[in-house]
């Protein structure tokens, strides 16, 4: 079939837009990430004198970096509508966020929709696949104190020990509040077949839109961060908690991400913007940590139940275009998440001005020394 002039113009425009967006993203990374690192190097004396202030500043810079990533999707028309519980109400408390995992765009979506949740973004810790350590954002996550987890049965036990040590060393010393993890342990398309075979073998529900979660990281986080009085679990982090006067982990936020027509947005789409504007839907349900069982078998069943509920939520969404109302209510209420374009332009301007400042400074030092 012959391509019309209008179709050719549309393809050309899409390719040109993608090319320009990619160039902007590269420039954005080249100024923002080195500036983040250099600011923190200069501030190392403050880290020694006043660690709390240092990590406060680091958190602000970290939030701005995530906002820049959010802006790439926001300006391409990829927006978010939120459903369920209002997580702003617990934004100052410690919480564990459990998220279903479909594509690389899940992380970008969270970077966007958590921007307006108070101090959450600058005080959060991410658990992500170790491969992200080798991306452009890896150095930022390493400095911030995120944890890179290596998947696979041969690494599992060692990784859980390392996770426990990491939480005890960094979580409260850097005043972290929320910890985000993807309990499925991989993308839906990669794990679905294996999960369904395991479910069939163990007489568990057949799931299409999510996979059965893994217990390990969730159990370690609860054991390490929950105060003993919350669910009766002896906590390995008691000494750290007393020192920081923390109440411990108080909430579990079950977060379900749904994409239009079940077609996830990946990081390439987020950057290049070649897909038509789309609305991603995010559903929250908050559980007090005292209602989460401590024993491994009971915790496994509780975690499985959360993902069975996610399956029901996603099935309803893909059939109707909306999440179902909470139990006992007749109508589900949604909230459109918004970002300020003025604020996004301001932080992007700060990044490019910072990049220019560091470049001029190094040029000056080079001429002075050589």
């Amino acid at each position: 079939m012959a391509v019309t002039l209008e179709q050719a113009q549309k393809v050309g425009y899409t390719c040109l837009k993608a090319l320009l967006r990619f160039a902007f993203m590269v420039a954005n990374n080249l100024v923002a990430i080195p500036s983040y690192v250099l600011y923190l190097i200069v501030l190392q004396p403050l880290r020694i004198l006043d660690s709390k202030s240092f990590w406060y500043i680091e958190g602000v810079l970290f939030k701005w970096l995530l906002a820049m990533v959010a802006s790439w999707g926001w300006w391409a028309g990829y927006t978010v509508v939120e459903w369920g519980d209002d997580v702003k109400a617990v934004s100052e408390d410690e919480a564990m966020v459990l998220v279903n995992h479909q594509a690389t765009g899940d992380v970008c979506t969270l970077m966007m929709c958590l921007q307006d949740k108070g101090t959450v973004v600058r005080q959060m810790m991410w658990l992500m696949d170790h491969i992200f350590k080798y991306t452009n954002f890896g150095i930022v996550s390493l400095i911030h104190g995120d944890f890179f987890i290596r998947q696979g049965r041969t690494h599992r036990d060692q990784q859980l020990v390392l996770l426990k040590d990491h939480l005890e060393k960094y979580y409260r010393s850097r005043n972290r509040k929320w910890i985000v993890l993807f309990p499925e342990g991989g993308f839906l398309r990669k794990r679905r077949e294996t999960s369904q075979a395991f479910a069939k073998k163990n007489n568990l529900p057949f799931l299409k839109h999510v996979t059965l979660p893994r217990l390990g990281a969730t159990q370690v986080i609860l054991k390490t961060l929950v105060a003993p009085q919350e669910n009766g679990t002896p906590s390995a982090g008691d000494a750290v908690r007393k020192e920081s006067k923390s109440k411990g982990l108080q909430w579990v936020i079950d977060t379900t991400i749904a994409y239009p027509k079940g077609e996830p947005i990946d990081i390439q789409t987020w950057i290049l913007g070649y897909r038509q504007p789309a609305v991603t839907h995010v559903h929250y349900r908050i559980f007090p940590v005292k209602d989460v069982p401590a024993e491994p078998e009971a915790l496994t069943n509780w975690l499985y139940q959360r993902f069975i509920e996610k399956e029901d939520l996603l099935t309803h969404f893909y059939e109707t275009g909306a999440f179902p109302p909470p139990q006992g209510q007749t109508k589900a209420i949604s909230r459109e998440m918004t970002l300020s374009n003025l604020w996004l332009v301001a932080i992007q301007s700060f990044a490019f001005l910072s990049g220019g400042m560091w470049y001029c400074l190094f040029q000056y030092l080079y001429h002075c020394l050589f």
Side-chain angles (χ1 to χ4, degrees):
M1 187 174 67
V3 178
T4 65
L5 177 61
E6 183 179 353
Q7 289 173 325
Q9 288 176 334
K10 186 175 181 180
V11 170
Y13 170 74
T14 301
C15 292
L16 178 61
K17 183 179 71 171
L19 182 63
L20 292 173
R21 284 178 58 88
F22 180 75
F24 175 78
M25 184 276 297
V26 171
N28 200 180
N29 276 275
L30 287 175
V31 296
I33 294 176
S35 293
Y36 166 87
V37 174
L38 290 168
Y39 277 126
L40 295 181
I41 290 175
V42 170
L43 289 171
Q44 285 303 304
L46 178 64
R47 183 178 180 179
I48 298 171
L49 297 172
D50 187 352
S51 177
K52 184 177 180 180
S53 295
F54 174 86
W55 289 112
Y56 174 87
I57 295 170
E58 184 279 333
V60 171
L61 294 174
F62 182 79
K63 179 177 180 176
W64 290 355
L65 282 175
L66 267 58
M68 292 175 204
V69 176
S71 72
W72 304 341
W74 180 258
W75 287 333
Y78 306 142
T79 58
V80 173
V81 167
E82 298 176 309
W83 303 74
D85 295 333
D86 184 3
V87 296
K88 287 183 181 179
V90 298
S91 62
E92 296 301 319
D93 298 332
E94 290 188 22
M96 176 172 63
V97 184
L98 306 177
V99 192
N100 61 311
H101 208 9
Q102 301 179 61
T104 48
D106 298 340
V107 175
C108 301
T109 297
L110 292 173
M111 288 180 178
M112 176 185 286
C113 64
L114 296 180
Q115 283 291 327
D116 67 344
K117 307 299 186 293
T119 63
V120 164
V121 175
R122 67 176 177 83
Q123 293 181 294
M124 72 194 313
M125 179 182 286
W126 296 77
L127 264 66
M128 58 187 77
D129 192 280
H130 80 288
I131 196 67
F132 284 99
K133 184 189 297 185
Y134 308 105
T135 66
N136 59 315
F137 214 75
I139 183 65
V140 174
S141 292
L142 279 170
I143 293 172
H144 184 69
D146 296 327
F147 184 77
F148 299 95
I149 192 163
R150 186 181 292 271
Q151 304 292 343
R153 185 174 300 176
T154 56
H155 305 289
R156 192 169 299 161
D157 292 341
Q158 180 193 30
Q159 291 297 298
L160 294 179
V161 172
L162 292 174
L163 173 59
K164 177 179 176 294
D165 293 342
H166 185 88
L167 292 172
E168 291 179 345
K169 186 174 182 181
Y170 297 118
Y171 191 79
R172 294 200 171 91
S173 67
R174 298 186 181 183
N175 196 28
R176 299 295 174 244
K177 293 291 186 183
W178 285 20
I179 183 165
V180 180
L181 71 154
F182 301 93
E184 291 164 292
F187 296 140
L188 173 64
R189 69 180 187 275
K190 293 183 177 181
R191 290 210 61 244
R192 179 159 39 199
E193 187 176 338
T194 303
S195 174
Q196 289 172 347
F198 177 84
K200 184 177 181 180
K201 182 179 179 181
N202 292 275
N203 197 29
L204 294 167
F206 184 86
L207 307 176
K208 295 190 300 180
H209 305 305
V210 295
T211 64
L212 290 169
R214 294 169 175 170
L215 177 66
T218 303
Q219 186 178 30
V220 168
I221 291 168
L222 290 172
K223 281 188 174 182
T224 309
L225 300 181
V226 173
Q229 66 270 21
E230 293 291 348
N231 65 355
T233 306
S235 173
D238 288 345
V240 178
R241 183 178 303 106
K242 290 175 182 177
E243 182 180 343
S244 66
K245 299 180 181 179
S246 167
K247 296 179 181 178
L249 200 71
Q250 294 177 272
W251 310 98
V252 175
I253 303 175
D254 187 22
T255 303
T256 305
I257 298 176
Y259 294 98
K261 300 179 182 179
E263 299 174 357
I265 297 175
D266 56 27
I267 186 66
Q268 299 95 314
T269 306
W270 195 269
I271 292 170
L272 301 177
Y274 51 77
R275 181 167 161 179
Q276 290 297 310
V279 180
T280 300
H281 296 256
V282 180
H283 184 279
Y284 305 106
R285 189 177 177 194
I286 302 174
F287 295 88
V289 78
K290 61 183 177 62
D291 294 342
V292 180
E295 294 302 316
E297 184 177 351
L299 178 58
T300 299
N301 292 333
W302 184 90
L303 199 57
Y304 280 175
Q305 188 58 40
R306 300 290 72 76
F307 276 77
I308 292 168
E309 290 174 3
K310 285 180 184 292
E311 177 77 11
D312 294 339
L313 285 171
L314 290 167
T315 299
H316 189 279
F317 177 85
Y318 294 138
E319 290 175 353
T320 66
F323 283 114
Q327 190 172 5
Q329 299 184 23
T330 57
K331 185 179 180 181
I333 299 175
S334 62
R335 306 172 295 277
E336 185 176 353
M337 186 268 164
T338 60
L339 290 174
S340 167
N341 285 313
L342 181 61
W343 179 62
L344 293 176
V345 169
I347 61 171
Q348 290 284 10
S349 299
F350 176 78
F352 281 96
L353 288 171
S354 295
M357 178 194 72
W358 291 115
Y359 176 78
C360 292
L361 179 60
F362 281 114
Q363 284 285 93
Y364 173 77
L365 291 174
Y366 177 81
H367 287 300
C368 288
L369 295 173
F370 303 102

